[in-house]
Amino acid sequence: MKSKRFIFIVILLISLFSLILISTTLGTVKIPIKNVLKIILYKLNLDIDISNIKASDIFIVTNIRLPRIILASLVGAILSLVGTSYQAIFKNPMADPYVMGASSGAAFGATLAISIGIGSGILGFGVTNLLAFISAMLTTVIVYNLAKVGSKISTTSILLAGIVMTAFLSSIISLMMIFNHEELGKIVTWTMGSFNGANWNQIILVTIPVLIGLIVILSFSKEMNAFVLGEENAQSLGVNIELMKKTILVISSFLAACAVSVSGIIGFVGLIVPHLFRLIFGSNHKILLPVSVLGGAIFLLICDTLARTILNGIEIPVGIITSIFGGPFFLYLLKRSKKNKLI
Amino acid sequence: MSCVIDVKDLHFKYYNQEILNNINIKVEKGSFVSILGPNGSGKTTLLKNICNFLKPNNGTICIKDKEVFKYKNKELAKNVAVVHQNNDVNFDFSIYDIVLMGRLPYQKKFKSESKKDHEIVKKNMKKTEIWKFKDKSIHEISGGERQRVMIARALSQQPDILLLDEPISALDIKHQMSILSLCKDLVKDKDISIITTLHDINLAARFSDLIILLDSGEIKSFDIPKKVLTAENIESVYGVKVDLYLKDKNIPYIIPKAI
């Protein structure tokens, strides 16, 4: 079992890196995979001769495609990690990375920034992104505190408070859209998610929290197994359940806010990727967490590659792709799995 | 004989409502104690106080001469294992993985299970006769088998004390007998102490060394079955008139007559 687990993780890692290379070759300008490899190795300070590759190709690979592809993979990994954690903490298969209001909070911040016209940014991290992040974090903190009773938190109350906050903010966003007709397109595009305009600074800003969050959440994987069998059960196995709930909620909501602020709202990834792997591996988080993270990265990378290449020259918001392709695929798997499992 | 559980003057309130009142219990090593009482008499609450899931308003609870709240979580889990009543599993695990969770108190973060962990799990799964199902999903087995899985997991914690909350309520008579016989064997050959809440008075009489009879949060009687289970006690606690017989001159068994 353990070696099977290891093999699968290695397969996913190899797939991810191959897909990154393949995706980099695709686009309006086709760049041969040999050249892509050369450019990457050259940029990694290896002694490679790239003098015969067009300067425009080098620019496209290093400044446009690679940042976008890596950011899409990172966001996919985050969404899927957060989805898996939330589904465990809330013991609810419907939980996705946005249950605590990160999406509507971010959308509110972004809409605000777009409406008052302060879109351009510092370090490539636009004011829109920044306001989206702050607003997503604030919303999550409000939801968390609404659901707190004394020093304990009730997960049911979090779900309810999250739904109410989302509904409330959505109507305010609609109101702002009515008053800002001319910016409507921008706002709608943002809320459907896109990696257009990704850059290395965003990647650096996202990578650090992802790594820390990933390590902390992975360190709880055994405890999460005990936890999904019931809080009482987990406690009698020696798990400090309040500490665990709080740590995972805080880290997950921070990660969700990071993801949504750089990419806009991308639905479906954080909901279906964890379920997909649960159908294959069961609920053991020791394997479920790492494969979901890698699987989320692969899934969103594929979706984003489709989003930018499927219609020549026109970009489709990636959030639309995740639902159009992810939905039927998931239903197929659901139908095929005869066992009485989580969903 | 040493005293593994010592409850003194325990009071527990839930929103100003007195649930447990002046509870005093001493349980010695290697005994099988049943808690009986009507619905709402505080049986489960008492168990949850003993395992530190609920905190008493007054009084002390000592596990092996140390107050229960002074234990670190994992340390307590090595001494006290609990099989709770609600064992609905919505998530999909193999039976082996569930029993392996019993080793959690002995494990460090990021470390995988040791050979010893696997050996202990295997031993307990064989003892509870679930080894043949080890790769099955928890959803594929019956209620009686599931209860055995939970007991195997609790035993893998290698506890001195095993607390069971109505372990046989949803089972047929054969599984009821087999679970209680298993518990009885555990007490006999492992120096483990068992406290279990039960509803079936006759089975409690048959298997228990001692019975605690709870009545609205107070101990009506705490003694050997023959002394606790008298027709008067049962009528006053449950409000049911019974005929009482003695089997082998020692084990009382009852037949309800009228309300």
Side-chain angles (χ1 to χ4, degrees):
Chain A
M1 180 60 210
K2 214 169 133 193
S3 57
K4 211 171 103 193
R5 198 182 294 172
F6 182 72
I7 291 168
F8 210 86
I9 290 174
V10 172
I11 292 174
L12 283 175
L13 267 173
I14 295 171
S15 319
L16 178 61
F17 284 110
S18 324
L19 283 168
I20 286 177
L21 286 180
I22 294 166
S23 176
T24 314
T25 66
L26 301 174
T28 331
V29 181
K30 302 274 179 291
I31 301 169
I33 197 157
K34 200 174 68 190
N35 289 0
V36 170
L37 258 175
K38 276 186 182 168
I39 296 167
I40 293 174
L41 292 175
Y42 173 78
K43 290 288 169 185
L44 290 171
N45 280 329
L46 285 162
D47 191 23
I48 299 276
D49 178 30
I50 57 164
S51 52
N52 58 346
I53 300 173
K54 270 193 285 180
S56 64
D57 283 3
I58 299 173
F59 182 82
I60 289 173
V61 169
T62 51
N63 290 339
I64 298 176
R65 288 198 191 151
L66 268 184
R68 175 169 184 156
I69 286 162
I70 292 172
L71 191 68
S73 310
L74 278 171
V75 168
I78 296 179
L79 291 177
S80 170
L81 172 68
V82 174
T84 314
S85 316
Y86 277 171
Q87 282 162 13
I89 293 295
F90 294 115
K91 294 189 220 75
N92 187 329
M94 297 298 289
D96 73 359
Y98 307 132
V99 278
M100 287 182 75
S103 57
S104 55
F108 174 75
T111 310
L112 193 69
I114 294 168
S115 304
I116 46 180
I118 42 164
S120 64
I122 342 131
L123 291 169
F125 199 70
V127 178
T128 315
N129 302 121
L130 189 67
L131 268 186
F133 176 77
I134 293 171
S135 169
M137 270 324 278
L138 268 180
T139 313
T140 315
V141 169
I142 292 170
V143 167
Y144 183 89
N145 279 297
L146 282 174
K148 210 166 86 171
V149 185
S151 68
K152 294 196 173 187
I153 34 169
S154 146
T155 44
T156 318
S157 309
I158 290 190
L159 291 177
L160 285 172
I163 289 169
V164 174
M165 275 304 277
T166 300
F168 175 73
L169 286 173
S170 300
S171 29
I172 294 190
I173 292 166
S174 307
L175 204 62
M176 279 156 62
M177 280 158 85
I178 291 172
F179 291 118
N180 288 285
H181 270 303
E182 56 283 9
E183 304 286 2
L184 210 61
K186 254 190 190 170
I187 296 171
V188 171
T189 311
W190 196 89
T191 55
M192 287 191 292
S194 170
F195 293 105
N196 199 356
N199 58 52
W200 288 107
N201 285 323
Q202 288 180 334
I203 291 173
I204 293 164
L205 280 168
V206 173
T207 307
I208 298 160
V210 171
L211 284 179
I212 297 171
L214 185 63
I215 290 168
V216 175
I217 291 178
L218 278 178
S219 80
F220 278 104
S221 50
K222 285 179 205 154
E223 281 87 348
M224 280 161 91
N225 286 345
F227 187 84
V228 296
L229 298 187
E231 296 196 10
E232 292 171 342
N233 273 300
Q235 170 147 346
S236 54
L237 288 169
V239 179
N240 185 340
I241 47 175
E242 288 303 319
L243 177 75
M244 169 192 159
K245 267 198 286 191
K246 282 175 195 166
T247 314
I248 292 183
L249 282 180
V250 168
I251 288 181
S252 301
S253 47
F254 177 73
L255 288 178
C258 287
V260 78
S261 65
V262 293
S263 67
I265 301 164
I266 299 171
F268 234 64
V269 182
L271 182 69
I272 69 154
V273 173
H275 281 310
L276 179 80
F277 287 107
R278 234 181 241 121
L279 288 172
I280 303 171
F281 291 103
S283 300
N284 189 342
H285 289 85
K286 276 186 287 184
I287 170 112
L288 186 60
L289 283 168
V291 296
S292 293
V293 167
L294 292 171
I298 290 173
F299 179 74
L300 198 51
L301 167 58
I302 294 173
C303 287
D304 185 53
T305 307
L306 290 173
R308 68 188 172 82
T309 55
I310 204 167
L311 294 180
N312 223 346
I314 304 170
E315 165 139 8
I316 307 169
V318 63
I320 295 177
I321 301 280
T322 55
S323 308
I324 284 184
F325 290 94
F329 175 57
F330 185 66
L331 288 178
Y332 161 74
L333 279 171
L334 193 61
K335 198 74 196 150
R336 222 190 52 168
S337 109
K338 292 183 204 92
K339 282 185 184 172
N340 171 26
K341 292 193 175 173
L342 176 63
I343 25 174
Chain B
M1 285 264 219
S2 63
C3 178
V4 284
I5 300 177
D6 189 356
V7 179
K8 279 197 195 112
D9 306 324
L10 173 70
H11 288 257
F12 181 83
K13 279 185 191 168
Y14 193 72
Y15 292 121
N16 280 329
Q17 197 193 339
E18 197 97 40
I19 306 287
L20 292 173
N21 198 355
N22 201 26
I23 303 283
N24 286 283
I25 302 166
K26 272 189 181 171
V27 176
E28 279 171 358
K29 201 173 169 182
S31 43
F32 188 129
V33 181
S34 298
I35 307 175
L36 291 178
N39 291 332
S41 57
K43 301 186 292 294
T44 300
T45 311
L46 177 54
L47 272 194
K48 287 187 176 170
N49 270 281
I50 294 173
C51 67
N52 204 30
F53 196 77
L54 295 172
K55 313 269 180 292
N57 297 68
N58 251 316
T60 57
I61 298 161
C62 290
I63 305 288
K64 300 208 286 186
D65 300 323
K66 182 171 166 185
E67 283 199 60
V68 71
F69 68 87
K70 286 185 182 161
Y71 279 89
K72 291 209 172 90
N73 288 353
K74 288 198 167 184
E75 202 190 340
L76 186 64
K78 290 176 191 173
N79 286 292
V80 183
V82 195
V83 175
H84 290 283
Q85 217 179 111
N86 183 5
N87 281 318
D88 289 341
V89 182
N90 286 324
F91 288 74
D92 187 39
F93 286 99
S94 78
I95 287 163
Y96 190 85
D97 279 344
I98 290 191
V99 179
L100 195 58
M101 287 180 201
R103 299 303 296 164
L104 195 62
Y106 297 88
Q107 288 164 356
K108 294 221 162 63
K109 279 189 189 298
F110 293 116
K111 278 243 175 97
S112 38
E113 293 80 10
S114 67
K115 212 176 150 203
K116 191 184 161 203
D117 291 331
H118 288 288
E119 277 164 13
I120 290 167
V121 164
K122 186 173 177 183
K123 191 186 81 192
N124 286 315
M125 287 180 81
K126 287 200 161 155
K127 189 185 282 177
T128 50
E129 293 165 23
I130 53 168
W131 182 246
K132 52 184 177 289
F133 309 129
K134 69 183 167 73
D135 294 321
K136 279 198 177 181
S137 154
I138 187 76
H139 300 300
E140 293 170 326
I141 56 171
S142 74
E145 287 156 357
R146 188 178 286 200
Q147 203 58 263
R148 285 175 177 275
V149 171
M150 294 305 166
I151 292 174
R153 191 190 67 185
L155 291 176
S156 301
Q157 291 172 244
Q158 296 183 301
D160 294 316
I161 299 159
L162 178 58
L163 304 178
L164 305 160
D165 197 2
E166 295 191 14
I168 58 167
S169 300
L171 306 182
D172 64 51
I173 188 159
K174 187 182 168 195
H175 280 106
Q176 290 187 329
M177 288 291 288
S178 79
I179 295 277
L180 290 179
S181 308
L182 170 69
C183 292
K184 193 76 186 170
D185 289 345
L186 293 174
V187 170
K188 227 185 282 169
D189 54 48
K190 252 215 86 178
D191 281 344
I192 207 173
S193 311
I194 290 183
I195 302 186
T196 177
T197 62
L198 289 174
H199 268 307
D200 192 309
I201 296 172
N202 289 328
L203 286 176
R206 175 161 176 176
F207 286 96
S208 315
D209 298 319
L210 294 167
I211 289 178
I212 299 168
L213 184 60
L214 279 182
D215 183 15
S216 324
E218 290 183 39
I219 293 182
K220 173 82 180 174
S221 175
F222 176 27
D223 213 318
I224 56 170
K226 200 167 126 184
K227 291 194 177 160
V228 174
L229 298 174
T230 62
E232 300 79 59
N233 276 346
I234 292 170
E235 190 181 344
S236 103
V237 171
Y238 288 94
V240 175
K241 287 192 171 56
V242 295
D243 280 332
L244 195 136
Y245 302 89
L246 277 183
K247 186 177 176 286
D248 306 332
K249 292 186 182 165
N250 228 347
I251 303 170
Y253 84 103
I254 59 153
I255 297 172
K257 247 183 351 187
I259 298 176

